[in-house]
Amino acid sequence: MKTRNLFTLSFFLILSVALLAFTNDTEIKESNVTKSEWKNLKVLPQDISNDSLKSLMRGYNDALGVKCSHCHITIEGTDKLDFADDSKKEKEIARKMILMTRKINADNFNWENHPNPELINVVNCTMCHRGHTKATKMIN
């Protein structure tokens, strides 16, 4: 039993280190964006830069193997997306998952009392989703 627990702990430590090496850069950078430019950001900071927001969204695309239209609706009669619209349930699910991973990271990986624990990025979408919309099971 102790060997299995030690193996499991070792596996997750190695996985965490590996993910840190390949994680997206989600650090929020200084922005010249005015508050009025972003509409309906409920979980992400209002002052997030355009580059940081695009990078973060691309990371979600890769982690779940989806395109932007998975969470955002298309404006009728165009090929443009309405990023502010909340009518897709997937968008609300994504917000809840962002909050969940922030809490997991802040509660479990804030060893140095980071002043902004929401920026700790050990556990992320890819860890469980691995390119699929539904989290995948780990194979023992």
Side-chain angles (χ1 to χ4, degrees):
M1 188 62 133
K2 287 183 182 181
T3 305
R4 182 176 171 90
N5 289 342
L6 184 59
F7 174 76
T8 302
L9 180 61
S10 298
F11 173 78
F12 280 110
L13 284 173
I14 291 168
L15 180 63
S16 296
V17 170
L19 286 173
L20 280 174
F22 295 105
T23 187
N24 289 330
D25 177 18
T26 58
E27 181 177 333
I28 298 168
K29 301 172 186 167
E30 294 266 331
S31 172
N32 294 327
V33 175
T34 61
K35 274 192 166 191
S36 62
E37 186 166 342
W38 304 125
K39 295 180 180 131
N40 202 20
L41 287 183
K42 294 181 179 177
V43 174
L44 301 175
Q46 292 291 325
D47 64 346
I48 190 170
S49 72
N50 187 44
D51 288 342
S52 292
L53 183 60
K54 283 183 180 179
S55 175
L56 193 59
M57 293 296 147
R58 284 186 197 116
Y60 297 145
N61 292 146
D62 293 342
L64 276 72
V66 297
K67 298 196 181 280
C68 301
S69 58
H70 182 73
C71 292
H72 303 287
I73 67 161
T74 304
I75 299 171
E76 193 172 328
T78 72
D79 60 351
K80 295 183 179 185
L81 297 173
D82 184 350
F83 296 111
D85 186 279
D86 280 342
S87 60
K88 288 189 111 175
K89 69 178 181 179
E90 291 83 359
K91 187 173 182 181
E92 188 57 33
I93 292 168
R95 285 180 175 139
K96 289 178 182 177
M97 298 298 278
I98 292 167
L99 293 173
M100 179 192 73
T101 56
R102 280 185 189 167
K103 180 166 177 35
I104 290 169
N105 285 316
D107 291 352
N108 298 287
F109 299 101
N110 192 10
W111 300 309
E112 297 176 9
N113 292 321
H114 194 286
N116 297 325
E118 68 276 5
L119 298 179
I120 299 169
N121 192 22
V122 175
V123 173
N124 59 33
C125 305
T126 304
M127 185 175 273
C128 297
H129 285 271
R130 299 185 202 120
H132 302 282
T133 55
K134 301 247 187 255
T136 58
K137 292 182 181 181
M138 291 189 64
I139 299 170
N140 289 336

